[in-house]
Amino acid sequence: MLGRLWAKSWDPKGKHCYVTGGSSGLGLAVAKLLVLKGAHVSIVSRNAQRLESAMKELETVRTSPNQILKSYSYDLITATGAREALDAVCEPHQRRNPDAIFMLAGSCHPRFFIEETEETMKTQMDQTYWVQAWTALEASKRMVRDKSKGKIVFHSAYIGYITLVGYAAYGPGRMAIRALADTLRQEFLLYDIDIHIAFPGTMYTPGYDIENATKPKITLKIEETDPGVTGDQYAKGLLRGVQSGDFHISPDLLGNIFRASMRGVAPSSNFFVDSLWNFIGWVGLPIWRMTVDSTVKGHRKEHEEYLSNKGFYSSSNKSFSQ
Amino acid sequence: MLGRLWAKSWDPKGKHCYVTGGSSGLGLAVAKLLVLKGAHVSIVSRNAQRLESAMKELETVRTSPNQILKSYSYDLITATGAREALDAVCEPHQRRNPDAIFMLAGSCHPRFFIEETEETMKTQMDQTYWVQAWTALEASKRMVRDKSKGKIVFHSAYIGYITLVGYAAYGPGRMAIRALADTLRQEFLLYDIDIHIAFPGTMYTPGYDIENATKPKITLKIEETDPGVTGDQYAKGLLRGVQSGDFHISPDLLGNIFRASMRGVAPSSNFFVDSLWNFIGWVGLPIWRMTVDSTVKGHRKEHEEYLSNKGFYSSSNKSFSQ
């Protein structure tokens, strides 16, 4: 642990960084920072129009005419999409594997569990887990085969530590991706591949508006206490964590408390400071949970009216999974 | 918490208990205990032959001629399968929902991540997460609609707390199902549905042999320290946990240490005893992790030979996801 103080920080300059979900929100913010630091940056997302405007933004922060900045449109929720995107992204770099992969694509659609369907459940798993797992699988096979060094950066969320009413479809994927990162951190000690994973809380990005469109009122109310940050603010914390070699990256107060309370065997960057977070979580989180639980119980009547108005109790109710 | 001391323990007698994966291993062991305690028991699994021999075992422990003991063959990894199985299981009970659902179907197939394919990754998620999520979704919609009380019991594993080299496909589903249970514990305070989730370690069941068939040598070596229990032994601890209202059920030493170190906001059955587990985990798990990490690093050369012998480095290697 002390060795970290003298360890050289990772420098993105001249490296090829592949950013998924790089056309907006946190992905774009991280891509911009990487360009500013002199990296070659490839971004991938589904929306060609958004990619175009993102590229314009990236061009404005370019530090050298030699930086290779490229964008590609692929859907990464299938193994085929992930493979084709990687092929395309590596092409202008003599087909060498990226030096770092930042997997920041994904979306959040909260809902009451009993209002989920087979389709919404699967979509949410695609958008939280598979969208990262396939790229990680494809990339690591190539990196091991070619014996190339590199970094793979996953992203989860506060909800990957501490889930809440409304996140029955979203929380599982966020915790699943953490389990994948935890496994690979250890397994990839067999190779020269570093694993990182970030856990952002509320971020004011375009995704946040999409998320709030389906978010139950009770969930919104409970989340009022999270002050939130902008994508640019979070991107700085994320990149600082990657550069200094942190495994679980949680660059804020709540994130640190949640991380220490859900540490498992994830290595800590600072055992002594984390003892404090662990203690605060040990005492504070049960109190917070009891408050939230009683808020949920107090919502029973309103929830029953909500379900009744939506026709959930009627015999012709169509909400059963189709 | 103190209230628990006086709370009445849940009694399965005369209740309808639905056990998935009830034809062998932990599922069958739990089904037998429930029959012994006077419950009506329905078991579901895929294998009709195994169901038949399981039914014979259940009949031998029946305590009353009035107990309804039934078996059904369904594959529960799709929402349709889960729905059809629930329909069938409820039929002999005037179509009322089960009083308790024990979701114990599933299987484990460890492997090095770079040897996984699209198919093996998906199958493992089906066998750890969806096989429980679909039944939970279908059942809870019915229970909320009919305003029926009940219990839903999930199962995860040690690996849902503390993942290891070799579990890149399995660990995510095990942690995902924990996230679902955590969310529903809180969300279902809106209804009269109780959530439980069990975290077994090594269990000597037929599934254990299947698991070891693909398990990397390095994983087997690391797991040597887990003494393991029989399915019957674990079933007792599981049912005791459900009866006394525990949320996260981890009735053994390692399970308790792992649980306290990965508690998040999961309610604890005993805050004071868990303080001790948390402390032991805080000090002990980093040491254990460093030992395991160095075992993994020491395996690099052997692993490279293993990959080389399997032709992983050859240009015609077919291990890339198909």
Side-chain angles (χ1 to χ4, degrees):
Chain A
M1 265 161 283
L2 280 174
R4 292 279 307 284
L5 291 173
W6 290 276
K8 216 180 137 197
S9 151
W10 179 74
D11 185 0
K13 193 171 179 183
K15 305 271 186 0
H16 175 208
C17 298
Y18 169 23
V19 184
T20 77
S23 71
S24 72
L26 181 61
L28 177 57
V30 167
K32 263 160 65 181
L33 271 188
L34 289 167
V35 174
L36 268 169
K37 285 177 190 283
H40 307 291
V41 174
S42 307
I43 59 174
V44 163
S45 87
R46 282 174 300 183
N47 190 311
Q49 204 176 345
R50 273 215 302 261
L51 278 170
E52 199 181 315
S53 80
M55 280 310 289
K56 282 184 195 149
E57 277 200 58
L58 294 188
E59 284 295 344
T60 62
V61 291
R62 165 196 285 285
T63 60
S64 138
N66 301 327
Q67 276 176 291
I68 306 173
L69 309 181
K70 297 266 185 189
S71 74
Y72 307 88
S73 172
Y74 286 97
D75 192 349
L76 302 171
I77 62 164
T78 63
T80 309
R83 186 163 51 242
E84 289 173 359
L86 260 169
D87 285 341
V89 157
C90 296
E91 189 64 39
H93 298 270
Q94 297 85 45
R95 299 204 185 155
R96 279 186 295 105
N97 298 313
D99 297 292
I101 304 179
F102 293 81
M103 297 187 295
L104 303 172
S107 62
C108 172
H109 310 279
R111 229 176 246 110
F112 287 114
F113 185 54
I114 57 164
E115 297 193 290
E116 300 284 357
T117 63
E118 186 170 357
E119 198 198 327
T120 60
M121 290 283 286
K122 282 187 178 166
T123 302
Q124 193 62 98
M125 188 58 89
D126 285 344
Q127 289 295 332
T128 47
Y129 180 69
W130 296 116
V131 70
Q132 298 181 62
W134 296 134
T135 294
L137 183 64
E138 288 299 323
S140 54
K141 285 182 184 201
R142 292 165 194 229
M143 290 161 86
V144 173
R145 184 195 54 193
D146 304 343
K147 300 192 178 175
S148 51
K149 290 189 187 208
K151 282 183 174 297
I152 300 179
V153 185
F154 293 89
H155 93 284
S156 176
Y158 276 5
I159 297 296
Y161 284 141
I162 305 291
T163 176
L164 277 179
V165 48
Y167 291 110
Y170 176 77
R174 282 286 171 251
M175 228 180 252
I177 204 72
R178 178 253 164 103
L180 181 59
D182 275 19
T183 312
L184 299 187
R185 182 207 63 80
Q186 184 172 82
E187 191 163 315
F188 286 7
L189 294 173
L190 292 168
Y191 324 112
D192 291 307
I193 304 173
D194 299 326
I195 301 291
H196 305 266
I197 179 166
F199 293 84
T202 297
M203 254 186 312
Y204 301 111
T205 59
Y208 186 62
D209 300 326
I210 295 170
E211 173 181 330
N212 280 352
T214 57
K215 193 178 279 175
K217 262 169 68 185
I218 178 81
T219 312
L220 272 170
K221 189 175 166 188
I222 293 164
E223 289 179 344
E224 272 170 5
T225 45
D226 180 2
V229 292
T230 65
D232 286 332
Q233 284 171 319
Y234 195 84
K236 279 181 198 153
L238 188 158
L239 201 54
R240 199 166 49 235
V242 170
Q243 291 193 268
S244 52
D246 294 346
F247 170 45
H248 277 214
I249 299 171
S250 52
D252 41 38
L253 177 73
L254 280 176
N256 277 310
I257 296 171
F258 293 161
R259 178 174 55 74
S261 307
M262 274 291 277
R263 63 192 181 274
V265 283
S268 149
S269 306
N270 192 319
F271 184 80
F272 302 103
V273 177
D274 277 3
S275 294
L276 180 67
W277 299 130
N278 182 30
F279 178 75
I280 296 174
W282 184 256
V283 176
L285 287 186
I287 298 170
W288 177 72
R289 189 200 66 240
M290 285 185 255
T291 318
V292 175
D293 282 2
S294 92
T295 305
V296 175
K297 279 183 208 157
H299 189 71
R300 279 182 80 131
K301 197 158 163 274
E302 191 180 331
H303 182 63
E304 206 176 310
E305 282 165 15
Y306 163 85
L307 290 180
S308 183
N309 290 338
K310 286 198 117 186
F312 187 84
Y313 300 113
S314 80
S315 54
S316 62
N317 140 25
K318 290 269 183 280
S319 80
F320 291 75
S321 331
Q322 279 95 44
Chain B
M1 264 162 285
L2 280 175
R4 293 279 307 284
L5 291 174
W6 290 275
K8 217 180 136 197
S9 152
W10 180 74
D11 184 1
K13 192 171 179 185
K15 305 271 187 0
H16 175 208
C17 298
Y18 169 23
V19 184
T20 77
S23 72
S24 71
L26 182 61
L28 177 57
V30 167
K32 263 160 65 181
L33 271 188
L34 290 167
V35 173
L36 269 169
K37 286 177 190 282
H40 306 293
V41 174
S42 307
I43 59 174
V44 164
S45 86
R46 283 174 299 183
N47 190 310
Q49 206 176 343
R50 274 216 301 261
L51 278 169
E52 200 180 315
S53 80
M55 280 309 289
K56 282 183 194 148
E57 277 200 57
L58 295 188
E59 283 296 343
T60 63
V61 291
R62 164 197 286 285
T63 61
S64 139
N66 301 326
Q67 276 176 291
I68 306 172
L69 309 181
K70 297 268 185 188
S71 74
Y72 307 88
S73 172
Y74 286 96
D75 191 348
L76 302 171
I77 62 165
T78 63
T80 308
R83 186 164 51 242
E84 289 173 358
L86 260 169
D87 285 341
V89 158
C90 296
E91 190 64 38
H93 298 270
Q94 298 85 47
R95 300 203 185 156
R96 279 186 295 107
N97 298 313
D99 297 292
I101 303 177
F102 293 80
M103 297 188 293
L104 302 172
S107 61
C108 172
H109 310 279
R111 228 176 246 110
F112 288 114
F113 186 54
I114 57 164
E115 296 193 292
E116 300 283 358
T117 63
E118 186 171 356
E119 199 197 327
T120 60
M121 290 284 286
K122 282 186 177 167
T123 301
Q124 193 61 99
M125 187 58 88
D126 285 344
Q127 289 295 332
T128 47
Y129 180 70
W130 296 117
V131 71
Q132 298 181 62
W134 295 135
T135 294
L137 182 64
E138 288 299 323
S140 54
K141 285 183 184 201
R142 293 165 194 228
M143 290 161 85
V144 173
R145 185 195 54 190
D146 303 344
K147 300 192 177 173
S148 51
K149 291 189 186 207
K151 284 184 175 295
I152 300 179
V153 185
F154 294 89
H155 92 285
S156 176
Y158 277 3
I159 296 297
Y161 284 140
I162 305 291
T163 177
L164 278 181
V165 49
Y167 291 110
Y170 176 77
R174 282 286 171 250
M175 227 180 253
I177 205 71
R178 179 253 165 103
L180 181 59
D182 275 18
T183 312
L184 298 187
R185 182 207 62 82
Q186 184 172 80
E187 191 163 315
F188 286 7
L189 295 173
L190 291 168
Y191 324 113
D192 292 307
I193 304 172
D194 299 327
I195 302 290
H196 304 266
I197 178 166
F199 293 84
T202 297
M203 254 186 312
Y204 301 110
T205 60
Y208 185 62
D209 300 326
I210 295 171
E211 172 181 331
N212 280 353
T214 58
K215 193 178 279 175
K217 262 168 69 183
I218 177 81
T219 311
L220 273 170
K221 187 175 168 189
I222 294 164
E223 288 179 345
E224 272 170 4
T225 45
D226 180 3
V229 291
T230 65
D232 286 333
Q233 284 172 318
Y234 195 84
K236 279 182 198 152
L238 188 158
L239 201 55
R240 199 166 49 235
V242 170
Q243 291 193 267
S244 53
D246 293 347
F247 171 43
H248 277 214
I249 298 170
S250 51
D252 42 38
L253 176 75
L254 279 176
N256 276 310
I257 296 171
F258 293 161
R259 179 175 54 75
S261 307
M262 273 292 276
R263 64 193 180 273
V265 284
S268 150
S269 306
N270 192 320
F271 184 81
F272 302 103
V273 177
D274 277 3
S275 294
L276 180 66
W277 299 130
N278 181 31
F279 178 74
I280 295 173
W282 184 256
V283 176
L285 288 187
I287 297 169
W288 178 72
R289 189 201 63 241
M290 284 185 257
T291 317
V292 175
D293 282 3
S294 92
T295 306
V296 175
K297 280 183 208 156
H299 189 71
R300 279 182 80 134
K301 197 157 162 272
E302 192 180 330
H303 182 62
E304 206 176 309
E305 281 164 17
Y306 164 84
L307 290 180
S308 184
N309 290 339
K310 285 198 117 185
F312 187 85
Y313 300 114
S314 80
S315 54
S316 61
N317 142 24
K318 290 269 181 282
S319 81
F320 291 74
S321 330
Q322 279 97 42

